[in-house]
Amino acid sequence: MRFFDCNRIAFGAVIRYPLRTGMMLLATSIGVGAVLMLTALGESARGYVGQAFQTLGTNIVIVMPGRTETAGTAPGAMVGTTERDLTLDDARALLRSPAIRYIAPVIVGSATVSQGNLERETTILGSTTDFATIRQWTMAQGEFLPNVDLDRASPVCVIGNVIRTELFGDEPPIGKWLRIGTRRCRVTGVLADQGTSIMIDVNEVVIVPVGYTQMLFDVSGLFRIIAQATDRESMDRARLDIIRIIKTRHYGEEDITVITQDAVLQTFDGIFDTLTRALAGIAAISLIVAGVLIMNVMLVAVSQRTREVGLLKALGATHRQIVALFLTEAAFLAVLGGITGLGFSYLVIIGVRGLYPEYIFMPPAWAAVGAFTVALVCGIFFGIWPARKAAAIDPIMALAGRQA
Amino acid sequence: MIKLEGLCRDFQVGDQVVHALDHLDLVIRQREYVSIMGPSGSGKSTLLNILGLLDSPSAGNYWLDDISTASMQDDELASVRQKKIGFVFQSFHLVPRMNAVENIELPMVLAGLLPADRRDKVAAALERVGLTNRADHRPDQLSGGERQRVAIARAIVMQPMILLADEPTGNLDRQSGEEIVDLMENLNNQGLTLIVVTHDPAIGNRAQRKVRIEDGRIKIDIQ
Ligand SMILES: Nc1ncnc2c1ncn2[C@@H]1O[C@H](COP(=O)(O)OP(=O)(O)OP(=O)(O)O)[C@@H](O)[C@H]1O
Ligand SMILES: [Mg+2]
């Protein structure tokens, strides 16, 4: 039997029973669709987090006071050590590393801000002019913080867009006084909307010089030091330099935690990758269910066509030819189901992308290839038993119509 | 051409053994026209199935063209069936989703012939059974007699040596039954060995050689 004849006969059987074929296609396409949709969701979550991390700026190293314990440290090692604050001098010292281009010390707090008789509670962020450079922030009006010495507590501030509309309405805010807690400072600029951003809501923040926050909240220790490495390659160097510099300044105590943007991103990437694969695996189970359905349907087909099989045997069909015919039929069902599934999934994906263009909603190529392959393999695998059953049919019984 | 020697076929039914064929000897030469008659359950169909290599004897020997069929495996049996034997059944056994041409070319498809090589042979077979104008009709668009002609065309398209027919007129009215017998006799005149199992004496008596089977043995054999 020629290959194309085998396909022709099997395909003839596939289109002969449209209801059966339609249900098979539905089952397989749901399986393929589930794999594509879930992996697309996983990928889109990964993309979202990745994008959010980009808004932190590039080549960022974050320094936090206190040591995050990692496994393996002897319990006694930390006994008696007092955690030292990160100070402005520490921050300044970091600039000695050639691997670091900018630093921005950060203190965060919350306070009531008011103007005239309007007031609200909001996040106060103390930093320096380089903070905007690192995070690539742009201004809607005016200027960011002045480039002055770190501990100068100049009474100036930069406000987010929402703060501006809530407290100043339509009035131009630049040069006006804003009351923060019991103190006052002059508005020098309004931040532009920066889109998605993590850690701070740009629209609802008031930014003041870091020295001003020390005074405002009566603290000296920093919340974070954000450092920007000169380039990607020097990030590790920057990390090591930071640890070395601070350690020296803290009398040999390594009481800080340094995280690099890359490391965080990689961790998240790894998590989302695992998540996506797990989702794909779960969805693939529905493909196996579809395979079992193919088996069921093929078993019915075999018993429906007992006479036909008997006839083919009388006409000189071998065991192998009968197996080939029924396996081809099962494969056709699986392939058609796979193609329909891919087709519908991509239609849905295109639709979703049209509705939400800001999200990256696209299944990875391996998911499409994998789903299709699993569908095909399942279809063929679960077609083996029915095909063998067909080949084992006794032609005499079948032709006499005496099947039990 | 066909030689049966002490052929037995036993069926185990519960704890009873049915001797469907019981030490049967028979020789059939090329171009013969043989009718096989006998009461129901006498073993006619069983004999025909063994002759057509769909079944194998429990004991005894069957030589086809001087070759013993006892040692043949599935593939070899299939290939002998394909090349040397044509079957015609009481209930036609056409594939319902295929039209006349597709049904007739099935044996050639299984044999691996290319479409170009099949076309002329299908046309010739249709011509011989007088159905050239029904080529693309499906079985449900044909009368009983026409279906049996398609089945005959399918049986002879590989130009076998033997045509085995088990009650070929059983599902037909007298008129179309006789037409079918005429057609098969015509093929026999052109050299095909014809073996017909029938209940109908009018049809059985037309054969040159009349074999009567009872209880799995040959009772009468009139040349
Ligand atoms: N698969 C089987 N299992 C058990 N017994 C069988 C089987 N096939 C045939 N027989 C028995 O063998 C005997 C011969 O059967 P066979 O079909 O050859 O009869 P027949 O002469 O063709 O009868 P009919 O004229 O009714 O078609 C019968 O007694 C039948 O019951
Ligand atoms: Mg019979």
Side-chain angles (χ1 to χ4, degrees):
Chain A
M1 187 170 45
R2 303 276 168 167
F3 182 67
F4 61 83
D5 276 322
C6 181
N7 286 319
R8 190 172 53 82
I9 293 174
F11 191 70
V14 165
I15 55 173
R16 178 62 216 268
Y17 306 98
L19 184 67
R20 175 198 76 155
T21 304
M23 295 204 324
M24 288 318 310
L25 296 199
L26 189 64
T28 316
S29 11
I30 287 173
V32 170
V35 172
L36 294 198
M37 290 305 145
L38 288 181
T39 50
L41 274 181
E43 283 293 286
S44 131
R46 180 228 294 272
Y48 179 77
V49 170
Q51 248 182 7
F53 268 94
Q54 286 311 308
T55 64
L56 273 181
T58 48
N59 311 326
I60 301 298
V61 183
I62 298 167
V63 188
M64 301 184 288
R67 179 138 179 81
T68 316
E69 278 307 312
T70 50
T73 314
M78 293 300 285
V79 174
T81 47
T82 45
E83 185 178 291
R84 220 171 273 272
D85 278 346
L86 274 175
T87 62
L88 283 177
D89 287 333
D90 289 338
R92 214 180 269 120
L94 294 184
L95 279 174
R96 289 209 302 266
S97 163
I100 293 171
R101 178 184 295 159
Y102 296 114
I103 55 121
V106 175
I107 292 176
V108 182
S110 178
T112 309
V113 293
S114 57
Q115 198 279 134
N117 50 9
L118 297 170
E119 66 168 47
R120 65 161 286 174
E121 186 80 11
T122 197
T123 308
I124 311 294
L125 187 133
S127 196
T128 60
T129 181
D130 287 342
F131 189 82
T133 317
I134 292 171
R135 297 203 59 162
Q136 295 158 347
W137 276 352
T138 47
M139 303 301 293
Q141 309 171 30
E143 302 280 325
F144 197 68
L145 299 177
N147 194 3
V148 291
D149 200 51
L150 286 186
D151 36 20
R152 271 274 301 277
S154 332
V156 290
C157 66
V158 175
I159 59 175
N161 233 332
V162 172
I163 302 288
R164 178 187 68 81
T165 40
E166 282 183 12
L167 298 186
F168 292 94
D170 293 333
E171 290 176 44
I174 307 292
K176 297 269 170 56
W177 288 100
L178 183 73
R179 184 170 288 282
I180 303 178
T182 54
R183 296 167 186 277
R184 291 192 315 162
C185 55
R186 207 181 276 280
V187 176
T188 63
V190 178
L191 285 166
D193 190 345
Q194 311 295 330
T196 27
S197 175
I198 50 174
M199 296 207 328
I200 328 164
D201 186 345
V202 175
N203 291 322
E204 302 200 15
V205 76
V206 172
I207 300 175
V208 293
V210 65
Y212 194 85
T213 27
Q214 282 180 320
M215 201 168 70
L216 196 64
F217 301 122
D218 191 23
V219 292
S220 58
L222 300 175
F223 173 65
R224 296 271 187 280
I225 302 171
I226 315 283
Q228 184 173 40
T230 48
D231 50 40
R232 206 189 158 88
E233 284 65 45
S234 41
M235 276 181 82
D236 215 46
R237 175 81 203 284
R239 191 176 65 86
L240 293 173
D241 280 355
I242 289 168
I243 293 171
R244 187 179 43 76
I245 293 168
I246 304 288
K247 202 172 167 180
T248 328
R249 294 179 53 82
H250 291 191
Y251 308 100
E253 212 68 71
E254 194 184 319
D255 55 0
I256 51 162
T257 302
V258 182
I259 53 177
T260 59
Q261 195 181 14
D262 268 17
V264 175
L265 205 56
Q266 263 167 30
T267 309
F268 271 102
D269 234 38
I271 291 169
F272 280 109
D273 215 49
T274 313
L275 187 76
T276 307
R277 276 165 208 279
L279 287 176
I282 291 164
I285 291 172
S286 59
L287 280 174
I288 294 173
V289 173
V292 174
L293 221 73
I294 289 189
M295 178 164 74
N296 216 357
V297 160
M298 289 310 295
L299 283 174
V300 173
V302 169
S303 63
Q304 272 176 347
R305 273 184 263 156
T306 308
R307 280 158 55 107
E308 188 181 319
V309 173
L311 172 78
L312 288 175
K313 286 193 160 181
L315 296 180
T318 60
H319 199 274
R320 253 177 293 126
Q321 286 178 323
I322 307 279
V323 170
L325 277 172
F326 278 91
L327 269 189
T328 310
E329 196 173 325
F332 259 122
L333 290 175
V335 167
L336 288 178
I339 291 173
T340 328
L342 288 181
F344 273 115
S345 304
Y346 279 105
L347 278 184
V348 170
I349 286 159
I350 289 168
V352 171
R353 285 166 69 98
L355 288 176
Y356 304 101
E358 65 271 29
Y359 294 108
I360 319 148
F361 190 69
M362 193 70 187
W366 62 258
V369 175
F372 191 80
T373 315
V374 172
L376 183 58
V377 169
C378 269
I380 292 176
F381 177 78
F382 286 105
I384 290 175
W385 185 43
R388 289 192 163 191
K389 248 186 103 129
I393 284 173
D394 176 2
I396 299 167
M397 293 287 193
L399 291 168
R402 259 189 292 188
Q403 69 265 35
Chain B
M1 182 176 56
I2 289 173
K3 190 173 159 201
L4 305 178
E5 216 177 55
L7 201 77
C8 296
R9 181 66 171 99
D10 301 334
F11 292 106
Q12 186 83 39
V13 181
D15 44 38
Q16 244 187 319
V17 178
V18 179
H19 302 285
L21 296 176
D22 191 6
H23 297 280
L24 185 141
D25 301 309
L26 183 67
V27 174
I28 296 172
R29 285 173 300 276
Q30 203 153 353
R31 293 171 155 267
E32 263 192 299
Y33 174 13
V34 186
S35 71
I36 299 174
M37 291 197 280
S40 188
S42 55
K44 306 180 297 289
S45 296
T46 306
L47 174 61
L48 214 65
N49 287 333
I50 290 180
L51 289 177
L53 296 172
L54 290 174
D55 196 4
S56 48
S58 315
N61 288 306
Y62 170 17
W63 281 279
L64 180 61
D65 282 340
D66 296 325
I67 302 163
S68 171
T69 59
S71 59
M72 291 183 181
Q73 297 300 306
D74 176 70
D75 281 13
E76 201 178 347
L77 289 170
S79 126
V80 173
R81 273 204 295 274
Q82 189 169 75
K83 296 195 181 84
K84 298 191 177 175
I85 298 163
F87 285 95
V88 177
F89 309 93
Q90 179 177 352
S91 47
F92 323 132
H93 287 307
L94 300 178
V95 181
R97 63 172 183 276
M98 298 182 180
N99 65 24
V101 166
E102 289 167 327
N103 266 290
I104 293 168
E105 67 177 3
L106 259 182
M108 295 191 288
V109 166
L110 292 169
L113 265 70
L114 287 167
D117 302 330
R118 303 200 292 248
R119 204 169 304 124
D120 291 349
K121 293 187 177 169
V122 171
L126 272 173
E127 169 107 50
R128 283 174 87 177
V129 300
L131 281 182
T132 308
N133 55 348
R134 297 280 190 276
D136 50 7
H137 287 223
R138 279 204 318 270
D140 56 2
Q141 300 163 326
L142 295 169
S143 74
E146 285 168 334
R147 287 185 212 179
Q148 196 61 300
R149 283 159 189 258
V150 172
I152 292 174
R154 182 180 63 194
I156 60 170
V157 77
M158 291 290 287
Q159 291 165 317
M161 302 185 308
I162 311 164
L163 187 65
L164 302 173
D166 196 348
E167 316 237 17
T169 60
N171 282 0
L172 300 176
D173 58 67
R174 178 149 293 277
Q175 167 74 29
S176 23
E178 267 170 18
E179 280 171 25
I180 291 297
V181 176
D182 288 343
L183 174 60
M184 291 194 298
E185 285 175 356
N186 203 1
L187 296 167
N188 171 248
N189 286 334
Q190 291 166 31
L192 190 70
T193 309
L194 180 60
I195 303 174
V196 183
V197 167
T198 182
H199 270 120
D200 185 346
I203 289 168
N205 288 329
R206 285 168 69 159
Q208 282 126 32
R209 183 177 173 190
K210 296 170 263 295
V211 174
R212 184 167 178 84
I213 297 186
E214 278 173 32
D215 293 331
R217 293 162 188 264
I218 294 180
K219 202 69 180 198
I220 312 173
D221 187 349
I222 310 168
Q223 301 276 340

